[in-house]
């Protein structure tokens, strides 16, 4: 299933599922990056019943978008990062949820709650604390990722204030940060990619402590990383060398696994939040790959602990999806375990499903 925007696209996000909704609402946010026209964020819903995509609303955004990050605790809040007059900053927006639900036909305006402006003016991503969820009360934490800085911020409960809480600063002459992931198991650890290297920073320390490091993790620059949601210390990385690697960050000498089915840069890698053996990757070769990494998943770890005997499970490519004609810059899992979406630079949103055979192999 595909949906086409009239402008170029780089940013994509999945809206968290609402516990109040009786129906499964699989929704995606797609942001444009155009210099001459007003930019937009399209709210697109996938219907399992009819197997189609519907644009519920179009939100106005004043600048070209680089990333969209919805708040896990409040579906009406989201951060965007964007370029403006050669500077890159971030804003927290309040989204008109009621108007979206009413299927407004006109373009909707968002309320800017606050703006994160840093001395470097190079904010390219914002990470929400992975441990907050719907129903969270009180202040929330985010991390702004800049070219050579990480800054942790405390966001006020109403989303109207931000206070800096911690900072990591790299040498401005060193390789910039190009990938980041906040550890869902240890909220004081944040992984970054800079050049070919991986560093895991301990935010509790005032001395910029590197808790773990993986030098030369890839042959070329890193582009993406994601923590395994179920297995401790496990990190997936993707690079311009066309490889996806999986690491136990405590053992940097060699990856747990390395997969190399992409023919060009890998721009994105994402773990499935329900079944961590499922991983998707996307690249500038226009391909989205679905992987079954069962041998290094939490299921495998549980089997090993229970001393289960039998055949060796193998990590494998489940399927190549060649729906795009241009570079794929982002891929995300939906709030449903079996749905994922990708966007290419030409403005195409593509939604795909985990093949039924693979689904039932996991469930049965």
């Amino acid at each position: 299933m595909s949906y086409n925007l009239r402008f170029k696209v780089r940013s994509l996000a999945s809206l968290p599922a609402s516990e109040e909704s009786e129906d499964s609402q699989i929704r995606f946010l797609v942001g444009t990056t155009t210099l001459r026209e007003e930019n937009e964020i399209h709210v697109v819903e996938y219907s399992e019943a009819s197997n189609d995509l519907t644009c519920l609303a179009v939100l106005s955004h004043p600048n070209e978008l680089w990333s969209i990050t919805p708040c896990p605790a409040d579906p009406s809040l989201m951060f965007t990062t964007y370029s403006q007059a050669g500077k890159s900053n971030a804003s927290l927006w309040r989204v008109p949820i009621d108007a979206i639900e009413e299927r407004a036909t006109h373009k909707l305006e968002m309320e800017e709650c606050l703006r994160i402006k840093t001395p470097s003016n190079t904010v390219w991503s914002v990470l929400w604390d992975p441990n907050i969820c719907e129903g969270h009360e009180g202040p929330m934490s985010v991390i702004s990722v800049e070219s050579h800085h990480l800054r942790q911020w405390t966001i006020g409960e109403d989303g109207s204030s931000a206070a800096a809480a911690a900072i990591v600063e790299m040498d401005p002459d060193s390789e910039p940060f190009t990938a980041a992931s906040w550890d869902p198991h240890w909220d004081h650890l944040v992984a970054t990619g800079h050049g070919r290297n991986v560093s895991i920073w301990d935010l509790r320390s005032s001395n910029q402590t590197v808790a773990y490091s993986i030098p030369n993790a890839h042959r070329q620059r890193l582009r993406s990383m994601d923590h395994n949601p179920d297995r401790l210390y496990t990190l997936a990385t993707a690079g311009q060398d066309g490889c996806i690697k999986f690491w136990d960050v405590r053992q940097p000498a060699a990856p747990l696994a390395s997969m190399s089915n992409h023919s060009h840069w890998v721009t994105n890698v994402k773990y499935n939040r329900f079944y961590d053996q499922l991983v998707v990757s996307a690249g500038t070769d226009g391909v989205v790959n679905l992987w079954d990494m069962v041998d290094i998943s939490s299921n495998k770890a549980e089997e090993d602990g229970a001393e289960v005997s039998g055949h060796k499970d193998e990590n494998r490519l489940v399927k190549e999806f060649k729906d795009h004609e241009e570079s794929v810059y982002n891929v995300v899992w939906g709030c449903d375990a079996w749905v994922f979406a990708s966007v290419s630079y030409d403005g195409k949103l593509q939604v795909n499903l985990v093949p039924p055979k693979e689904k039932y192999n996991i469930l049965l």
Side-chain angles (χ1 to χ4, degrees), residues 200-218:
I200 292 89
W201 305 89
D202 189 338
L203 298 179
R204 297 173 302 181
S205 171
S206 59
N207 299 320
Q208 298 191 179
T209 301
V210 177
Y212 307 98
S213 63
I214 308 173
N216 298 312
H218 286 259

Side-chain angles (χ1 to χ4, degrees), residues 50-348:
S50 59
N51 194 36
D52 63 9
L53 295 170
T54 304
C55 180
L56 303 181
V58 177
L59 310 173
S60 294
H61 193 278
N63 309 108
E64 55 176 332
L65 284 133
W66 293 103
S67 72
I68 304 172
T69 319
C71 176
D74 185 347
S76 71
L77 292 175
M78 68 176 176
F79 266 106
T80 64
T81 61
Y82 50 86
S83 294
Q84 183 180 28
K87 300 178 180 180
S88 297
N89 293 305
S91 289
L92 179 65
W93 304 90
R94 187 165 296 280
V95 180
I97 293 294
D98 291 341
I100 292 174
E101 297 298 345
E102 294 169 1
R103 309 295 198 268
T105 56
H106 60 282
K107 193 177 292 187
L108 302 176
E109 299 293 331
M110 299 185 295
E111 174 192 354
E112 186 177 24
C113 300
L114 61 86
R115 183 174 300 187
I116 290 180
K117 297 179 69 175
T118 66
S120 73
N121 289 305
T122 60
V123 181
W124 58 266
S125 182
V126 174
L127 309 175
W128 287 96
D129 180 347
N131 292 304
I132 64 174
C133 57
E134 187 173 12
H136 173 90
E137 296 181 357
M140 299 175 284
S141 290
V142 299
I143 290 175
S144 62
V145 187
E146 306 166 42
S147 291
H148 294 93
H149 297 78
L150 299 178
R151 301 178 202 268
Q152 186 175 11
W153 305 81
T154 299
I155 306 298
E157 187 172 3
D158 59 356
S160 62
S161 62
I167 186 171
V168 170
E169 182 175 1
M170 293 280 285
D171 185 337
D173 294 326
S174 65
E175 290 276 4
F177 292 132
T178 52
S181 178
W182 199 338
D183 194 323
H185 309 287
W186 312 104
D187 62 5
H188 60 280
L189 296 179
V190 177
T192 60
H194 43 99
R196 297 176 295 170
N197 307 316
V198 174
S199 297
I200 292 89
W201 305 89
D202 189 338
L203 298 179
R204 297 173 302 181
S205 171
S206 59
N207 299 320
Q208 298 191 179
T209 301
V210 177
Y212 307 98
S213 63
I214 308 173
N216 298 312
H218 286 259
R219 297 190 304 275
Q220 297 181 42
R221 177 177 286 182
L222 276 90
R223 283 292 165 190
S224 180
M225 56 178 51
D226 195 25
H227 280 92
N228 186 311
D230 297 322
R231 190 169 180 176
L232 297 176
Y233 302 108
T234 305
L235 181 72
T237 60
Q240 292 180 191
D241 55 3
C243 293
I244 305 161
K245 297 186 179 183
F246 299 84
W247 304 88
D248 182 327
V249 298
R250 301 167 298 179
Q251 301 173 8
L256 300 171
S258 180
M259 316 301 279
S260 55
N261 197 63
H262 286 279
S263 61
H264 207 246
W265 297 4
V266 184
T267 56
N268 221 253
V269 61
K270 290 286 194 331
Y271 271 105
N272 186 297
R273 299 299 165 193
F274 300 91
Y275 303 99
D276 66 300
Q277 69 194 71
L278 292 177
V279 177
V280 286
S281 63
T284 53
D285 55 3
V287 175
V288 175
N289 285 325
L290 174 65
W291 306 90
D292 181 357
M293 304 302 296
V294 63
D295 192 50
I296 55 172
S297 69
S298 57
N299 285 340
K300 181 65 176 180
E302 291 170 3
E303 288 180 4
D304 290 345
E307 298 183 357
V308 175
S309 61
H311 71 280
K312 176 179 172 61
D313 293 319
E314 293 186 356
N315 304 317
R316 61 190 176 88
L317 175 67
V318 175
K319 186 176 178 179
E320 276 187 324
F321 295 86
K322 298 183 177 181
D323 306 295
H324 295 279
E325 297 179 0
E326 290 195 22
S327 297
V328 182
Y329 280 107
N330 219 320
V331 62
V332 297
W333 288 97
C335 62
D336 179 279
W338 315 109
V339 179
F340 56 95
S342 54
V343 291
S344 50
Y345 191 55
D346 57 1
K348 182 178 183 179

Side-chain angles (χ1 to χ4, degrees), residues 18-60:
S18 173
E19 295 180 357
E20 297 179 358
S21 175
E22 296 180 0
D23 301 322
S24 176
Q25 296 178 335
I26 305 172
R27 295 177 175 180
F28 301 98
L29 301 173
V30 191
T32 64
T33 174
T34 177
L35 291 172
R36 296 179 177 85
E37 304 282 347
E38 183 180 58
N39 282 274
E40 302 169 343
I41 298 175
H42 289 226
V43 184
V44 181
E45 182 174 78
Y46 167 68
S47 169
E48 291 183 282
S50 59
N51 194 36
D52 63 9
L53 295 170
T54 304
C55 180
L56 303 181
V58 177
L59 310 173
S60 294

